[in-house]
Amino acid sequence: MSEPLLSIHDFSVTYDVDPPVHAVKGVTLELARGEILGLAGESGCGKTTLAYGVQRLLKAPAVITNGSVMFHDASGEDVDINALGAEEMRRFRWDKISMVFQGAMNSLNPVAQIGSQLEDVFEVHRPEMTPRQRRSEVADLLELVRVGAQRARSFPHELSGGMRQRVMIAMALALRPQLMVMDEPTTALDVLVQREIIRQISQLRHEFGFSVIFITHDLPLLLEITDRIAIMREGEIVEVGRAEQIWTDPQDAYTRTLLSSFPRLTGERGVVVR
Amino acid sequence: MTGVQPQLAELDTDALEVGTTATSADGGRARVPWRYLGRRAAFYLFTLWAAITINFFLRRMMKGDAVSQYLSRNRNVSPEAADALRTLLGLDSDKSLLEQYLDYWVLLAQGDLGISLLHGLRPVTEVVSGALPWTIGLVGVATIFSFAIGTVGGAVVGWRRGSRADALIPITTFLSTIPYFWLGLLAIAVFSVNLGWFPIGKAYGVGMRPGWNAEFIGQVLHHGALPIATIVVASLGGWMLGMRNMMLTVLDEDYITVAQAKGMPNQRVLWGYAARNAVLPQIQSFALSIGFIVGGSIVMEMVFSYPGIGKLLLDATNAKDYALMQGVFLVITISVLVANILADIVYAFLDPRTRQAGV
Amino acid sequence: MSTKTKTQATGARTGADRGTDGSRPATNVPAAAVGRESGGRVFLSKLGSAFAMFRNRKSVAGLAILAFFVLIAIFADVLAPFSPTQVDNTARFQPPSAEHWLGTTHIGEDVLSQVIHGTRGVVVVGFLAALIATTIAITVGVISGYVSGWKSEGLSALTNVFLVIPGLPLIIIVAAMFEDPPLWVIAAVLGLIGWAWGARVLRAQTMSLRNRDFIQAARANGEPLRRIITIEMLPNLMALIAASFVGTVTAAILGLTTLSYIGVIPVTTYNWGTILNWASAQGAFQQNQWWWYLPPGLCIAIIGVALSLINFGIDEYVNPRLRSAGERARAMKKKGLDVNEPVTAVRPEMDGLAAHPTPAPADKGTE
């Protein structure tokens, strides 16, 4: 396989409450450069905790109790994410790994213009840019996701759900990160818009070559768009494999259960049977 | 085996057209929230009408007819002034109620609020306009300080959950349950009588003539310090509590998590994202509280013998100078309405969601 | 009317009109159950569970202090060592002593007795005014929240008018019209001025409740409006009603004492405000007769604190975020974790808690 981008080794996250909740238990996973990896499982299986945890985005009482996360930067440097201090982490964020969140309804600051919310990423991470450069960069980003540069002065409540999610994608793309983590990016949208967003993501990936971790409970979607899929259950990864192989030859009983719970669209009645 | 081939058919939806909500999002036209402001203006006009009508009926319920006696005893009141007084004070019961009401409005429209018995028959408007600036200065400065300190403090306390700053909330709340006037009297007892740092009352020294010179202004500041400080201390708690509670609500919102994921420094998240949103309900509640604030400050004027309209009202009440009482009440109400309008304008420009159609 | 005590509370209060309140009433019994039991019993049982708001520490503390004052008010005659009007010209302006625990006034009256008797007026007016105000607030607020269209808008406009018109000046003028108003008149006037805030809050909450499933179900069941409001909605609004009531008591007490101090309310009745009126008139503040002017003011402050505590307790019940935010943060701090830190902490020494790490599962897809 192509060179690894993210090496997660024996990673564990615990919520330090009473009694403690072991949300992620000893996960080992490797993400290749330019790969799109699906992370699937039922609600509460820990997929979101894992994705947030490797970026250290979880707030107390969550604690990383074990394992390491190595980020193999394109420059050749290896970054041990767990060892970064707060300020280094702040600089690392969005620059190397960015995120597209679920439900763009509330992910944008309601009182600030779209353009300024995109610009402040540059203000903080690329202080050498002039205001004019920032504005032009933001306009390019908005055109790229087909929202339109003139929307830079709009407010979030003036855009539809699909457009807001596109803005989130543009924001995630701003610093040309090497990895984008997408947490159920299309779950809150209607089917047509979902399609558009997925296509958009694929297009951008081919153009810019970043890796994607795509989190969702929608396994059929993952079967269509991802290179590999990891199935999670109760904090552990039960199976990892290429998409076709998961579909044709699932190894784990849980995977088989998941696959068989989707109804057929065509042909005989009943659930999908392979 | 059912195929797993990706079927991303070409959909011809133009992203730019998909369901936007506001048409005015295009173009860079200045987006003045006319609709919102228009509705507020209509409400305030209605309130003004209601206040004037209450004033009108209030008079008719009053007993103790010092005015008629006064008028019958004094011949040096001009017939026009006497008529005005009678209309204002509801003594012209020979006319029908509707006629009285209309006459009342005519008088008000002419800016004639009658004459003040207490102040040597000078027009009420003159007496009130002499006192009004002092009140606006006192209340205005104190409220701005209190709101600013309380809101900023509340934002910081809300941000740093569980820190020692949390103790500020019960302390300031305790202070705000103490009656204004008692706090003022205590302040005088401690700082004026015992420590002698501040004068006991009034806006400026006895015998000083008002004027725009350094000495006069210095005296005004010196005399005003204690009343303003008392009002600030007494009202701080409310603002701080409200802002802190709103911060706690806002900090759970998604856009805060997104901002931190973006690598925004803490200060930026606190002020640009969190406080900026939490302050909106604060401004709404500020607009609603102006009536209360004015009430409390009136009492302050009595405690400190400050020559504002609060003291004017109290003196007039004790002397049963009804024309002056009415006039002061009207002016107070109008001031509160104006302050409300200003607060609404500020809110409208801070919250872009008011510019949406249908708000 | 006077201070902001009753105006500042949770996010449930501020921004209430925009429906952004974070309060979620606790009890939510399905409407289907109602039909089977008598309305009265259902109402009482729902009411009982709604009063859980009083079971936290802050509310209990506040209620205890309040009860203390109420008892004093009731047993004033028995508790006061002297009659409040008993003049003793031999013992004027005396500081506290064994005989007069709080000293004497300018004509030898016992300050302690005056304060004790003054409690009655304060408590009676406070509760009566709050009762009147809250009743009006519930009626106007719930009805205007439940109906829609111009009726609702009209009532809302009425509420807002009362909210904006400055209360204290109005009361001053109204009180000046009466020569010697009895306590209940004063209470009524205070109540009439102070209902608007509660009405506004209740209207907002009723509007959000109106669309909840259990109300829709009740309407579909054909329950009459009267029943829907009293049996379904009121128990859910209990927390807000209680908070509004408590806030109004505070405001009424402050209003009463302020008006008494000013002298607008004639000094025939005793309350802490009138005591301060005399004290001030006799120059007690200038002459450092602290035993005269401190106790009444402190009493007002303490009863205010008690009411605030009750309100804090209700706030935390209605919006659990407020309670847990501070507590959670402090609990975390003890473990060395900072809740505000945006970067997850790494604690390998906690490894004992983690489950056994599993080896990487068979990964057929990778080369």
Side-chain angles (χ1 to χ4, degrees):
Chain A
M1 77 176 209
S2 55
E3 48 182 275
L5 176 67
L6 193 68
S7 303
I8 306 172
H9 181 74
D10 205 12
F11 190 69
S12 302
V13 176
T14 302
Y15 284 94
D16 192 4
V17 289
D18 194 17
V21 175
H22 307 300
V24 177
K25 305 175 197 165
V27 165
T28 298
L29 197 56
E30 214 158 67
L31 181 70
R33 200 173 295 281
E35 169 180 45
I36 169 165
L37 172 76
L39 201 51
E42 59 194 47
S43 303
C45 66
K47 51 191 196 294
T48 304
T49 307
L50 175 63
Y52 277 59
V54 299
Q55 302 175 66
R56 294 181 69 192
L57 253 185
L58 297 166
K59 289 225 178 101
V63 181
I64 298 173
T65 53
N66 197 18
S68 70
V69 182
M70 280 298 183
F71 182 80
H72 309 287
D73 194 18
S75 66
E77 190 193 335
D78 278 356
V79 181
D80 181 3
I81 296 185
N82 280 356
L84 291 178
E87 178 60 22
E88 296 167 309
M89 195 69 228
R90 195 191 60 71
R91 277 198 297 265
F92 180 87
R93 276 192 184 145
W94 222 250
D95 192 18
K96 312 287 184 201
I97 304 182
S98 71
M99 224 171 138
V100 177
F101 291 83
Q102 182 176 16
M105 288 307 284
N106 225 2
S107 300
L108 290 167
N109 187 350
V111 298
Q113 290 176 348
I114 305 285
S116 81
Q117 295 188 50
L118 286 165
E119 275 184 45
D120 66 16
V121 172
F122 295 114
E123 279 173 42
V124 169
H125 289 273
R126 301 275 186 272
E128 65 277 2
M129 287 173 79
T130 68
R132 169 172 301 212
Q133 285 172 324
R134 283 199 295 262
R135 271 197 297 273
S136 114
E137 187 66 33
V138 165
D140 288 342
L141 278 171
L142 288 173
E143 289 293 341
L144 205 57
V145 295
R146 305 215 288 146
V147 164
Q150 77 271 28
R151 292 259 184 248
R153 296 188 52 190
S154 305
F155 289 95
H157 69 274
E158 293 170 338
L159 304 182
S160 69
M163 294 183 85
R164 269 181 265 190
Q165 196 63 314
R166 264 189 258 262
V167 170
M168 294 302 292
I169 294 175
M171 195 151 46
L173 196 55
L175 300 175
R176 304 292 185 265
Q178 298 168 45
L179 168 62
M180 257 202 231
V181 179
M182 302 200 176
D183 185 7
E184 312 252 19
T186 54
T187 308
L189 304 168
D190 69 69
V191 210
L192 287 180
V193 181
Q194 270 193 34
R195 237 351 173 213
E196 267 299 313
I197 301 282
I198 300 288
R199 242 191 39 202
Q200 187 88 81
I201 296 174
S202 299
Q203 232 177 308
L204 291 171
R205 226 171 50 83
H206 282 120
E207 192 172 337
F208 295 103
F210 49 84
S211 306
V212 173
I213 296 182
F214 199 107
I215 307 171
T216 181
H217 55 267
D218 188 355
L219 194 48
L221 178 62
L222 291 182
L223 290 169
E224 275 191 54
I225 64 176
T226 58
D227 299 325
R228 279 193 309 151
I229 301 179
I231 313 276
M232 270 189 89
R233 182 179 184 224
E234 288 179 7
E236 297 174 322
I237 295 203
V238 296
E239 185 163 354
V240 181
R242 299 206 65 80
E244 303 86 54
Q245 172 258 311
I246 295 277
W247 170 249
T248 54
D249 187 19
Q251 300 294 303
D252 190 274
Y254 180 67
T255 314
R256 281 194 284 270
T257 319
L258 264 188
L259 285 169
S260 62
S261 60
F262 297 104
R264 331 179 83 159
L265 188 58
T266 60
E268 313 148 23
R269 284 177 176 275
V271 295
V272 170
V273 170
R274 284 146 300 104
Chain B
M1 167 184 111
T2 56
V4 195
Q5 287 86 24
Q7 297 291 338
L8 294 174
E10 285 302 304
L11 289 174
D12 199 17
T13 49
D14 185 350
L16 294 171
E17 298 292 319
V18 175
T20 47
T21 44
T23 52
S24 60
D26 313 312
R29 274 178 275 142
R31 281 166 281 178
V32 180
W34 291 118
R35 244 176 138 131
Y36 174 76
L37 289 177
R39 284 184 65 183
R40 302 305 292 157
F43 165 69
Y44 289 128
L45 284 174
F46 175 69
T47 308
L48 184 61
W49 169 84
I52 292 178
T53 309
I54 291 179
N55 219 0
F56 173 78
F57 282 107
L58 220 49
R59 285 302 310 114
R60 269 124 197 88
M61 298 193 295
M62 297 232 196
K63 311 185 195 86
D65 213 351
V67 183
S68 290
Q69 298 169 358
Y70 188 89
L71 284 178
S72 59
R73 271 181 291 134
N74 287 281
R75 296 297 159 204
N76 51 357
V77 176
S78 68
E80 297 83 26
D83 270 339
L85 267 184
R86 278 199 205 89
T87 308
L88 280 173
L89 305 181
L91 300 173
D92 49 351
S93 41
D94 45 320
K95 303 196 193 141
S96 75
L97 199 62
L98 187 59
E99 275 184 25
Q100 292 179 28
Y101 189 56
L102 291 175
D103 285 343
Y104 187 68
W105 271 97
V106 168
L107 265 186
L108 288 182
Q110 293 170 339
D112 185 352
L113 289 170
I115 51 178
S116 160
L117 303 179
L118 186 61
H119 288 257
L121 297 186
R122 280 159 51 209
V124 166
T125 37
E126 189 186 312
V127 176
V128 167
S129 53
L132 194 57
W134 292 110
T135 302
I136 291 183
L138 185 71
V139 177
V141 171
T143 308
I144 291 175
F145 267 124
S146 174
F147 185 76
I149 299 176
T151 302
V152 167
V156 172
V157 171
W159 175 261
R160 300 166 164 280
R161 285 165 283 193
S163 70
R164 270 180 307 223
D166 262 2
L168 274 179
I169 296 287
I171 293 177
T172 50
T173 312
F174 167 71
L175 285 174
S176 64
T177 58
I178 299 181
Y180 273 24
F181 68 90
W182 193 65
L183 206 58
L185 290 169
L186 274 185
I188 292 180
V190 171
F191 293 105
S192 303
V193 175
N194 283 318
L195 290 174
W197 290 353
F198 293 99
I200 288 188
K202 301 208 175 350
Y204 45 87
V206 180
M208 273 290 301
R209 294 187 60 80
W212 288 107
N213 51 56
E215 196 192 341
F216 180 69
I217 294 180
Q219 285 222 347
V220 168
L221 290 176
H222 193 215
H223 281 260
L226 209 51
I228 289 180
T230 318
I231 297 180
V232 169
V233 164
S235 53
L236 203 57
W239 302 125
M240 203 179 261
L241 182 65
M243 186 63 176
R244 171 254 199 184
N245 289 350
M246 267 327 285
M247 280 296 279
L248 290 181
T249 307
V250 162
L251 285 173
D252 280 344
E253 299 275 6
D254 290 337
Y255 53 85
I256 301 290
T257 313
V258 172
Q260 288 174 325
K262 287 203 300 192
M264 297 286 118
N266 277 340
Q267 288 299 303
R268 211 176 168 125
V269 179
L270 165 56
W271 298 113
Y273 285 77
R276 180 69 178 70
N277 276 281
V279 85
L280 294 177
Q282 271 290 80
I283 295 179
Q284 280 190 323
S285 100
F286 173 79
L288 289 169
S289 316
I290 293 179
F292 299 142
I293 295 173
V294 167
S297 311
I298 284 179
V299 181
M300 276 315 208
E301 289 182 7
M302 182 183 164
V303 170
F304 286 91
S305 302
Y306 214 76
I309 52 179
K311 184 155 186 304
L312 211 56
L313 179 63
L314 293 167
D315 291 343
T317 311
N318 286 331
K320 301 234 183 292
D321 183 352
Y322 291 118
L324 189 55
M325 279 165 66
Q326 268 194 89
V328 170
F329 177 70
L330 214 49
V331 168
I332 292 180
T333 307
I334 293 178
S335 312
V336 169
L337 286 180
V338 167
N340 260 301
I341 291 176
L342 290 175
D344 277 345
I345 292 178
V346 168
Y347 182 86
F349 278 105
L350 283 182
D351 187 356
R353 288 165 288 195
T354 53
R355 296 171 214 174
Q356 201 169 16
V359 168
Chain C
M1 281 196 321
S2 37
T3 63
K4 299 191 40 53
T5 39
K6 71 171 177 172
T7 63
Q8 292 302 335
T10 63
R13 303 259 177 90
T14 55
D17 245 2
R18 312 182 97 243
T20 55
D21 64 285
S23 66
R24 281 285 167 259
T27 56
N28 197 346
V29 175
V34 173
R36 293 183 217 125
E37 309 181 31
S38 83
R41 229 179 306 144
V42 172
F43 182 61
L44 285 177
S45 77
K46 281 198 204 178
L47 219 51
S49 52
F51 274 102
M53 70 185 97
F54 290 125
R55 283 184 218 143
N56 66 64
R57 264 192 346 211
K58 291 195 171 123
S59 292
V60 168
L63 283 169
I65 300 178
L66 195 61
F68 171 71
F69 279 106
V70 170
L71 284 174
I72 292 188
I74 297 177
F75 296 109
D77 296 315
V78 175
L79 288 169
F82 297 84
S83 157
T85 49
Q86 183 175 336
V87 171
D88 182 1
N89 277 307
T90 62
R92 302 163 55 159
F93 286 126
Q94 284 201 351
S97 60
E99 201 190 335
H100 296 277
W101 288 4
L102 286 179
T104 60
T105 68
H106 66 296
I107 43 176
E109 298 157 328
D110 180 35
V111 173
L112 179 64
S113 308
Q114 290 198 331
V115 171
I116 289 181
H117 275 270
T119 314
R120 193 174 276 175
V122 169
V123 167
V124 165
V125 171
F127 279 89
L128 195 54
L131 198 62
I132 296 174
T134 309
T135 312
I136 303 179
I138 295 179
T139 317
V140 172
V142 173
I143 291 183
S144 78
Y146 190 75
V147 306
S148 43
W150 65 268
K151 278 180 277 198
S152 172
E153 291 289 327
L155 282 175
S156 171
L158 181 70
T159 311
N160 284 334
V161 165
F162 269 89
L163 213 45
V164 170
I165 290 184
L168 199 63
L170 189 58
I171 301 182
I172 291 177
I173 295 183
V174 168
M177 301 190 311
F178 296 93
E179 290 304 316
D180 186 3
L183 273 186
W184 67 265
V185 168
I186 302 174
V189 172
L190 286 171
L192 283 172
I193 302 290
W195 60 267
W197 188 272
R200 186 186 157 94
V201 172
L202 283 170
R203 173 172 187 260
Q205 185 66 3
T206 309
M207 277 169 60
S208 88
L209 272 185
R210 178 178 58 186
N211 298 324
R212 295 270 293 275
D213 290 341
F214 71 102
I215 296 290
Q216 310 274 31
R219 282 182 20 200
N221 265 353
E223 282 192 32
L225 180 68
R226 204 180 7 102
R227 219 176 123 92
I228 291 183
I229 289 190
T230 51
I231 296 187
E232 304 286 352
M233 288 198 144
L234 276 189
N236 278 302
L237 295 171
M238 220 53 224
L240 283 182
I241 294 176
S244 169
F245 183 83
V246 170
T248 312
V249 172
T250 315
I253 291 180
L254 285 168
L256 171 69
T257 48
T258 305
L259 290 169
S260 307
Y261 166 73
I262 294 178
V264 165
I265 292 182
V267 294
T268 48
T269 51
Y270 278 87
N271 61 62
W272 300 329
T274 52
I275 300 176
L276 287 168
N277 182 331
W278 292 317
S280 175
Q282 298 301 324
F285 288 91
Q286 275 80 353
Q287 293 161 32
N288 278 333
Q289 284 145 359
W290 53 269
W291 58 90
W292 199 358
Y293 63 75
L294 272 187
L298 274 179
C299 284
I300 303 176
I302 293 176
I303 215 176
V305 166
L307 292 165
S308 294
L309 279 174
I310 299 178
N311 247 347
F312 272 140
I314 298 178
D315 277 352
E316 289 183 354
Y317 168 80
V318 162
N319 193 353
R321 214 180 259 137
L322 297 177
R323 165 179 19 124
S324 48
E327 286 173 14
R328 252 190 292 131
R330 275 185 287 274
M332 286 296 118
K333 231 182 182 176
K334 290 205 195 94
K335 301 185 193 179
L337 298 171
D338 183 0
V339 192
N340 302 313
E341 184 61 58
V343 175
T344 316
V346 183
R347 291 284 167 83
E349 59 264 20
M350 285 176 60
D351 193 20
L353 299 170
H356 306 295
T358 53
D363 191 344
K364 286 198 163 179
T366 55
E367 295 94 61

